[in-house]
Amino acid sequence: MIKKTRKLIVGNWKMNPLSLEEVKEITDAVKRTIKKTKQVTAVLCPPAVFLAEVTRAVQNTKDVYTGGQNTFTEAQGSFTGEVSPMMLASVGAGYVIIGHSERRKMGETDEQISAKVRLALEAGLSVIVCVGESVRDAQVKYLEVVSGQIKSAFAGVTVKQLPQMIVAYEPVWAIGKDSKGPMTPRDLYEMTIFIKKVLSELYEQKIAMKTQILYGGSVNAETSAGLVKEGEVSGLLVGRESINPEGFAGILRAVDAL
């Protein structure tokens, strides 16, 4: 687990890249960049088939860790194609992303996400739980959506386990080619405050306020620093730019310069 004073930059590679050669190129670029930084920590989340390879590649590089993109609700058994958090931990992963908007779109429920969170914590992983609304409505009901996702994901999470929990806020409406426009740092700041408020309803405020919050949206080297600083988040969950060696390196440098 990283020091909370450092900014956490998580690279979600999604179903990319297609070859070990490209995996090495991305990983090597991160290793070269991180050695020149002082204020950031990188977590690389490759597809499961590449996880062990990437973990071995970064094991001697300070401030670079690995994580899974998803996990299952059971530790082991007859579940073809699934990967349990215990398996992720066994190959050296320290983190796991749970409840990503793309998984939710595939039908993953709040109940399944909650079960995954509890099992991942038992496995000793740090959990990056994703929350966020698909649309913003004039009645501000989207806040109820985010609040419900948080409360469900944290159900059963003890105070002792809370330091293992990280919230990644994903405004789905502001992400990808069909986005309705980028999220502004001011909007992000307001959501950061709201998330802390919800967590403070679940745990003692002083403890809840220490929970790391990431922005999980479309970012690049030009926008990342402003979102982190003005949005008052602990870091970023980066998608598309995380498989662009030069682009991800630019984000690491930009946030490190804050």
Side-chain angles (χ1 to χ4, degrees), residues 29-234:
V30 173
K31 290 168 63 176
R32 287 194 302 270
T33 303
I34 210 74
K35 289 177 180 179
K36 299 176 183 178
T37 64
K38 297 180 180 179
Q39 306 296 329
V40 294
T41 292
V43 176
L44 306 182
C45 297
V49 293
F50 297 137
L51 181 57
E53 181 75 19
V54 176
T55 301
R56 282 193 294 270
V58 304
Q59 63 183 353
N60 294 319
T61 304
K62 186 179 179 182
D63 301 317
V64 182
Y65 301 87
T66 61
Q69 295 180 13
N70 184 36
T71 189
F72 194 55
T73 56
E74 301 289 340
Q76 66 181 101
S78 303
F79 306 104
T80 302
E82 298 294 348
V83 177
S84 79
M86 287 68 182
M87 293 174 179
L88 297 176
S90 75
V91 297
Y95 294 77
V96 63
I97 300 169
I98 295 178
H100 192 278
S101 59
E102 292 168 359
R103 300 296 311 178
R104 291 179 187 269
K105 190 175 181 180
M106 292 178 196
E108 193 163 274
T109 66
D110 284 340
E111 291 73 20
Q112 290 172 319
I113 290 166
S114 179
K116 290 181 179 186
V117 167
R118 292 194 299 272
L119 194 62
L121 292 173
E122 288 180 25
L125 299 174
S126 290
V127 174
I128 302 165
V129 62
C130 300
V131 302
E133 74 280 10
S134 297
V135 296
R136 287 206 162 185
D137 57 292
Q139 295 74 34
V140 200
K141 290 186 178 180
Y142 66 88
L143 292 178
E144 296 178 14
V145 172
V146 176
S147 175
Q149 290 174 343
I150 294 171
K151 290 178 179 178
S152 177
F154 279 76
V157 176
T158 67
V159 173
K160 186 177 180 180
Q161 292 172 321
L162 199 56
Q164 291 173 248
M165 294 293 290
I166 300 162
V167 177
Y169 171 63
E170 293 184 289
V172 182
W173 53 270
I175 300 171
K177 61 181 180 180
D178 298 322
S179 70
K180 304 301 180 182
M183 165 155 269
T184 67
R186 178 64 189 179
D187 287 339
L188 178 57
Y189 173 72
E190 290 176 356
M191 186 54 73
T192 301
I193 296 300
F194 176 74
I195 292 172
K196 290 181 178 179
K197 176 180 178 295
V198 175
L199 291 172
S200 295
E201 294 173 1
L202 303 176
Y203 304 92
E204 182 183 338
Q205 184 177 22
K206 185 177 180 181
I207 298 172
M209 295 293 279
K210 295 180 181 179
T211 303
Q212 291 176 293
I213 300 173
L214 310 180
Y215 173 60
S218 299
V219 296
N220 53 42
E222 288 70 41
T223 61
S224 55
L227 285 163
V228 171
K229 184 177 181 179
E230 297 173 45
E232 293 195 11
V233 290
S234 302

